[in-house]
Amino acid sequence: MTSKRSLNENDIARLQELLKGTEAKLVTPKEEEAYTTSIRRWSRAAEKPAGACLIPKSNEAVSITLKYASQNNLDIAVKGGGHSTAGASSTDGGLLIDLNTHMRTTDVNAENQTIRVGGGALWGDVDAALAPHGLAAVGGTVADTGVGGLTLGGGFGWLSVKHGLVADNLLECTVVLADGRIVTSSASENEDLLWGLRGAGQNFGIVTEFVFRAHKQGDMWAGFMVFPPTPEVISKAVEAVNSIFTPDADGKTKAIGKAGSGIGFVKPPPAGGQTMFFVASVFDGPEDAGKELFKDVLALEPAMSTMAMVKYENANKLMQPPIGARVSLKGSSFELPIRPDFVMSILEAYTKFTDEVADAAGTQIMFELLDPTKIIEVPNSDMAFANRGRHFNAAIVPLWWDKANDAVCRQWSRDVALLFKAELERDGAATGGSGDGWIGKRGEHGATMVYGNYDQYEERSKDVFGANYERLQELKAKYDPTNLFNKLFAIIPKA
Ligand SMILES: Cc1cc2nc3c(=O)[nH]c(=O)nc-3n(C[C@H](O)[C@H](O)[C@H](O)COP(=O)(O)OP(=O)(O)OC[C@H]3O[C@@H](n4cnc5c(N)ncnc54)[C@H](O)[C@@H]3O)c2cc1C
């Protein structure tokens, strides 16, 4: 495969000619405001100077552009919500296709309980459109994250405990392929493509529209409890969450279908303050029942608590990191029971780092606990997403402002991920695998133990897709044989 090239003046002129009458804009660095908005990323460290940015309003404009890019071997990047911290939606000198500026419409069908969503929408757009109908879709836990990347990589959210992954609730996609064809992919049309889009979706085309199943949704008991990080508090809180999320002899957890949580460390503003331990909880039901489930955490008497009955869309606004920072997201996996001593070792790593690098005081670490009972009802071979098991995601999120700290912050997140890896192997919990993944071993049902949407740096496609990789190679040969879509876990097409 020939390597892709940057955009030149001639390409810009020819594209502008081809796009006449489509209402699309092709902006260059000269049109500073629009260009800056298009290349803007949630993490400033993920921004790159594109040669030009297409701002389309229609499938037709996307189609013309992709056809031209394929024929001329251009490097392209696709921006959905712009939350990839690894630069997977950015290009240095290539052509950026920015769906986020105009392609974020929502269209609710309340009767069928579905929603049609533009490829550049944010989860906040989806929440706001569904809420007036008493409906909600399974989406990310942070409202300003993009629908596109999150869905195409699998997607976990608070409602996953009830309705599975975001990809499990994806019914249909409108996709513009590398050669410019516009196709529908659903259970009855191009169903092989839907299999691939659900987990490896950045590989096959630009999804300009998603259709999701929506669900009736009431208010939730949700918020944060914050504690001083003493060994006693950590030990008791960890014991409490272990007991809530560990299955009994019948495979049932106390959280089943109801609760998600997250424990971790943060230094609340003002910057430079004390490290605090937090327990975030989102309970789908009335306050009394939520309080009963989390009673052992509440008994620890948080120094601060925001727990209250909230609308679902507000549960997705609990965690709103600051805008304009440099941020890296590194994932890891862990299993229950969490060992309090392990959490203490993470506290030590967190405190040492944030004390030494004062610029990174906004850093967070979270052990995410979303009851996986519903998620693991679906086998790992049912779609490209290959990471279902009774394990959980951890998010290591250094946040800093000075470019000079890029390397030290990223390295620290890798070092902490290695602590999680060692803990997983210490447990002997991940077993029965082929031994060629990042974790080194596979989890139950062949789960890769790598969540690609959290791990977008040095992980390889095979680590993320595991046993599904070969089938993905066949799909890649069929739908994107020249590897136009190559920015995130690119699959080598089958020869
Ligand atoms: C603050 C924050 C909170 C997060 N919370 C969650 C969470 O709750 N659950 C979870 O599962 N993950 C979460 N993530 C991880 C998230 O899933 C990934 O960062 C994901 O890549 C974001 O998608 P995006 O569209 O915003 O990103 P972008 O940077 O726009 O895109 C990421 C990748 O997807 C591709 N892409 C995006 N849209 C399309 C499209 N329409 N068609 C084709 N390709 C497309 C891009 O080309 C790129 O390769 C979170 C990340 C952050 C930074």
Side-chain angles (χ1 to χ4, degrees):
M1 238 163 300
T2 352
S3 62
K4 309 293 178 206
R5 67 171 177 85
S6 296
L7 209 65
N8 59 37
E9 291 297 326
N10 187 36
D11 295 313
I12 293 172
R14 284 168 65 198
L15 269 168
Q16 254 152 358
E17 190 58 35
L18 290 168
L19 289 164
K20 269 190 185 150
T22 65
E23 285 187 82
K25 274 201 174 145
L26 191 66
V27 300
T28 66
K30 286 181 207 143
E31 290 125 293
E32 203 181 327
E33 202 181 324
Y35 176 84
T36 307
T37 304
S38 283
I39 67 160
R40 181 63 81 223
R41 293 295 173 272
W42 179 74
S43 167
R44 296 298 188 263
E47 290 174 2
K48 292 180 191 167
C53 310
L54 174 81
I55 308 179
K57 285 190 176 171
S58 65
N59 290 341
E60 190 200 354
V62 176
S63 162
I64 291 168
T65 305
L66 288 186
K67 193 170 171 190
Y68 181 85
S70 288
Q71 288 169 346
N72 292 280
N73 217 22
L74 291 185
D75 184 52
I76 65 144
V78 183
K79 177 186 182 184
H83 266 57
S84 163
T85 60
S89 54
S90 303
T91 163
D92 196 345
L95 176 61
L96 171 67
I97 298 160
D98 165 13
L99 306 177
N100 185 243
T101 297
H102 288 313
M103 297 191 88
R104 48 192 279 194
T105 50
T106 51
D107 184 9
V108 179
N109 184 330
E111 205 181 321
N112 290 348
Q113 294 194 194
T114 59
I115 180 165
R116 185 172 284 271
V117 182
L122 305 182
W123 285 108
D125 300 331
V126 176
D127 292 346
L130 288 168
H133 305 277
L135 296 171
V138 185
T141 56
V142 178
D144 72 350
T145 314
V147 170
L150 189 141
T151 302
L152 297 172
F156 293 83
W158 297 122
L159 296 182
S160 293
V161 302
K162 216 157 67 159
H163 307 299
L165 296 176
V166 176
D168 296 337
N169 291 275
L170 174 62
L171 301 174
E172 186 185 304
C173 294
T174 305
V175 191
V176 187
L177 299 173
D179 60 9
R181 270 179 300 152
I182 302 167
V183 301
T184 301
S185 175
S186 67
S188 56
E189 220 177 326
N190 296 307
E191 58 274 27
D192 59 346
L193 181 56
L194 188 65
W195 184 92
L197 290 171
R198 291 161 131 185
Q202 315 82 0
N203 262 286
F204 301 108
I206 295 188
V207 181
T208 53
E209 278 188 341
F210 296 89
V211 179
F212 295 102
R213 191 180 294 122
H215 307 271
K216 292 219 178 313
Q217 182 60 45
D219 293 355
M220 307 175 107
W221 184 67
F224 274 98
M225 292 168 266
V226 179
F227 306 86
T230 64
E232 195 196 347
V233 163
I234 289 177
S235 169
K236 288 193 167 149
V238 166
E239 217 174 282
V241 295
N242 280 336
S243 131
I244 291 170
F245 291 96
T246 302
D248 62 18
D250 297 327
K252 291 210 166 67
T253 65
K254 291 180 192 155
I256 200 161
K258 287 278 176 202
S261 184
I263 63 169
F265 298 105
V266 67
K267 276 191 161 142
Q274 280 289 308
T275 296
M276 298 299 275
F277 173 69
F278 67 81
V279 179
S281 299
V282 173
F283 178 78
D284 189 13
E287 181 163 352
D288 285 356
K291 282 185 167 164
E292 176 58 27
L293 187 63
F294 285 92
K295 64 176 186 294
D296 293 340
V297 180
L298 288 166
L300 298 171
E301 295 180 0
M304 201 268 287
S305 169
T306 64
M307 296 303 302
M309 289 305 291
V310 297
K311 305 247 166 264
Y312 167 71
E313 64 265 36
N314 290 334
N316 286 337
K317 291 178 189 156
L318 287 176
M319 295 183 279
Q320 294 285 25
I323 302 291
R326 305 176 80 78
V327 195
S328 170
L329 172 58
K330 179 93 192 86
S332 241
S333 297
F334 67 93
E335 295 194 304
L336 300 186
I338 305 169
R339 276 189 321 121
D341 282 354
F342 174 57
V343 181
M344 289 305 292
S345 69
I346 296 294
L347 167 65
E348 196 185 324
Y350 176 89
T351 307
K352 184 168 181 295
F353 170 67
T354 48
D355 284 351
E356 281 174 9
V357 185
D359 180 38
T363 295
Q364 290 192 18
I365 294 188
M366 178 150 99
F367 294 65
E368 291 181 359
L369 290 139
L370 293 169
D371 184 78
T373 312
K374 183 72 193 170
I375 295 169
I376 61 178
E377 281 177 8
V378 177
N380 275 313
S381 55
D382 261 28
M383 56 187 79
F385 185 85
N387 188 26
R388 295 171 201 263
R390 275 209 179 271
H391 58 277
F392 301 84
N393 296 318
I396 305 149
V397 194
L399 183 150
W400 68 105
W401 301 87
D402 185 350
K403 193 174 188 317
N405 287 323
D406 284 7
V408 69
C409 290
R410 289 192 174 125
Q411 187 54 47
W412 174 77
S413 66
R414 288 187 196 106
D415 294 344
V416 175
L418 287 176
L419 297 178
F420 275 91
K421 182 188 173 202
E423 181 71 3
L424 205 53
E425 289 177 345
R426 175 188 195 276
D427 285 351
T431 52
S434 64
D436 65 351
W438 161 249
I439 294 298
K441 293 173 181 170
R442 296 279 187 246
E444 61 176 13
H445 315 301
T448 57
M449 313 294 277
V450 181
Y451 179 34
N453 269 347
Y454 281 9
D455 270 319
Q456 301 187 346
Y457 287 88
E458 50 279 277
E459 292 69 23
R460 298 163 305 165
S461 307
K462 281 187 186 169
D463 300 340
V464 176
F465 304 123
N468 290 337
Y469 185 75
E470 243 181 87
R471 185 167 170 194
L472 285 166
Q473 287 188 289
E474 284 163 20
L475 280 184
K476 188 77 173 173
K478 180 171 171 188
Y479 290 104
D480 181 26
T482 64
N483 211 357
L484 185 67
F485 301 99
N486 60 34
K487 289 281 179 288
L488 184 61
F489 303 124
I491 292 156
I492 309 297
K494 197 156 215 148

